[in-house]
Amino acid sequence: MRRISRKKALTLVKELDAFPKVPESYVETTASGGTVSLVAFSLMAVLAFLEFFVYRNTWMNYEYEVDKDFTSKLRINVDITVAMRCQYIGADVLDLAETMVASDDLKYEPVKFELPPERKLWQMTLLHIQERLRVEHSLQNVLFKSAMKGPAPAQRESSDDDSSSPSACRIHGHMYVNKVAGNFHITIGKSIPHPRGHAHLAALVSHDSYNFSHRIDHLSFGEEIPGLINPLDGTEKITADANHMFQYFITIVPTKLNTYKVSAETHQYSVTERERVINHAAGSHGVSGIFMKYDISSLMVRVTEQHMPLWQFLVRLCGIIGGIFSTTGMIHGMVGYVVDVVCCRFQMGVYKRMDAPPSEQGDDGQFVPTTDHQNN
């Protein structure tokens, strides 16, 4: 009884076979079939190779959420060169809560305002990248992928071989401020503490020495990540007027960056610029200097580098192989059927009409059965 049950079960399983085997005696190979097979296998190999590169590629995914961190400090990274002597200018931050942050952590370095040829070439390259970033927004994804943690790039130093005295001041370093809107500015005179407000000691500076032509080599917020290019990096402003005000209105967006090379909390920002000459007689009032007014967005951007999962790659690979195999088989069958119909209609190839022997033709030229057929 058990043997009978096993035979019935085996028979039932055989009837469910979706891949029946065809005996080799029933299989006929043709030159056209072999040619189609070679084309199909070559196409499978090429598409599978290209699909592997798609699998290796990554893309950046952007998610937005409310920034709930209000207690941490905001780091400002600065590297600005002003065409004035260091003893004539001062930099500090005044935030919305009337809290003044002195520039004690910033370094004032006497330098020449003109750049050497190699630095000038790098600045031109940086400005060209900035122009392309304004047009090709997808280039920012490339910068995110190339970013990596590590020490900041080496700072340029003033040349000791030049006999001329430095006529500019390079202000560089970083400072921590409250995470609220504020105003980072560089103006005449050093800042002094004042119980009723904010003041700079500018009375001892001659008006003829005013020159706020400047170059922003680097300005970023948050953790400094080598490889990222910020909107103001490489900006240079030249003015011939002594009383000139440069204003930059910056909107900062907190950003959490997670790639396969780096995981950091930094900030992106957008900026609009405005500049004007201070002329009290013409009604243009203000203070000469460089003013960067920043505000912090309440939304945070989470940028994550993503990769195609392995199971999806295998499914796509099976789809490529099975689709090409089925499609080439159908095309080969349809082309063969059309060729057979055409050859049969016009009696070509294997369907070409053969002349019969005279014994098999009647007097009127019609075919007549042979003796063997008549006997049968």
Side-chain angles (χ1 to χ4, degrees), residues 15-43:
E15 291 177 355
L16 296 175
D17 186 9
F19 307 96
K21 305 300 184 293
V22 180
E24 294 184 0
S25 58
Y26 293 163
V27 177
E28 181 182 359
T29 58
T30 60
S32 61
T35 303
V36 172
S37 299
L38 287 176
V39 172
F41 292 149
S42 301
L43 191 59

Side-chain angles (χ1 to χ4, degrees), residues 12 18 33 38 54 61 66 90 122 132 158 171 273 311 318:
L12 180 60
L38 287 176
V54 174
N61 182 51
V66 177
W122 164 244
R132 298 307 305 170
S158 57
I171 304 173
E273 306 174 13
W311 66 266
C318 293

Side-chain angles (χ1 to χ4, degrees), residues 73-91:
K73 295 289 186 177
L74 176 65
R75 170 170 167 163
I76 304 179
N77 309 296
V78 180
D79 190 353
I80 301 177
T81 302
V82 184
M84 291 184 64
R85 296 185 181 274
C86 293
Q87 62 266 28
Y88 295 156
I89 58 177

